[in-house]
Each structure stands twice: as structure tokens, then as C-alpha cells.
Amino acid sequence: MLNQTETKMLAQITIANLFGKEYFKTHIENACQSYPDEQYDDVEYEYFLGFEADEENNLWTVFARVLVNRETNECIFLDYKTPDGKRMENPIKPIRFA
């Protein structure tokens, strides 16, 4: 089973593949990240990366939320909006502030 660091890296690779590796590399440093605390040891972890926001309206304009199964190494997008503005159709778990 993946540890938390491996899970986070797998989620980031999955997001980079969708958003483009160059975009990911140039924006990851200032991105807002959210993932479970080390005290949690669930089989599935949700991971969120917010890259760009409309701060005036409190909306994420570029983001991704993925679910990683630590046993199977499967990553599933729950919701996203890519740098070109494409929003996931029928997101599994929509972001309220997007």
C-alpha cells in the first residue's frame, strides 16, 4: 500500500498529465494543496490542488481534485478545471467554489 508521500506524488503526476507538465512545473510552487493529515490511514485519499483563483469572487479558476486508492494505485478525478477553462463534465464530487 502506498504511503502518504507516494500517494501525493501519484496524484500530482495524474494532474500534471491532464494539465500539461510545463504548466504544472511552473505553477506547483504557489498552488494551494489539501490532503489528509499523516494521522489518517485510510485506503483512499482525496487530494486537491488549486492553481489559480478569482479572489474577488472566491472562486477557483484552475484546480483539480483526485481520489487515490492506496492499494490499487488508481487515481480518479472528482472534479477539475484545466488552464484552458475546460470544466469536468458531471464531476463526481464538485467543488463548491468553482
Side-chain angles (χ1 to χ4, degrees):
M1 185 155 71
L2 297 175
N3 65 33
Q4 186 182 36
T5 301
E6 293 167 330
T7 303
K8 180 180 172 182
M9 289 174 29
L10 182 58
Q12 289 180 347
I13 290 167
T14 302
I15 294 167
N17 286 338
L18 177 66
F19 283 27
K21 291 177 180 145
E22 191 59 37
Y23 178 88
F24 189 88
K25 283 193 287 189
T26 59
H27 289 80
I28 186 64
E29 185 175 320
N30 296 318
C32 173
Q33 300 182 53
S34 175
Y35 49 91
D37 191 277
E38 289 181 14
Q39 69 181 355
Y40 299 106
D41 196 27
D42 297 335
V43 172
E44 294 183 326
Y45 276 4
E46 279 190 33
Y47 183 70
F48 174 84
L49 266 178
F51 291 99
E52 297 178 34
D54 174 354
E55 293 179 24
E56 187 174 302
N57 294 306
N58 292 324
L59 298 174
W60 286 108
T61 55
V62 179
F63 66 89
R65 185 179 195 176
V66 296
L67 181 69
V68 181
N69 184 308
R70 296 172 57 214
E71 289 182 337
T72 65
N73 300 354
E74 181 182 19
C75 285
I76 299 171
F77 280 99
L78 301 175
D79 196 4
Y80 64 78
K81 189 169 188 181
T82 60
D84 64 3
K86 181 182 175 196
R87 180 78 186 262
M88 180 177 180
E89 291 184 31
N90 303 314
I92 296 167
K93 199 168 187 182
I95 300 293
R96 292 184 323 161
F97 300 104

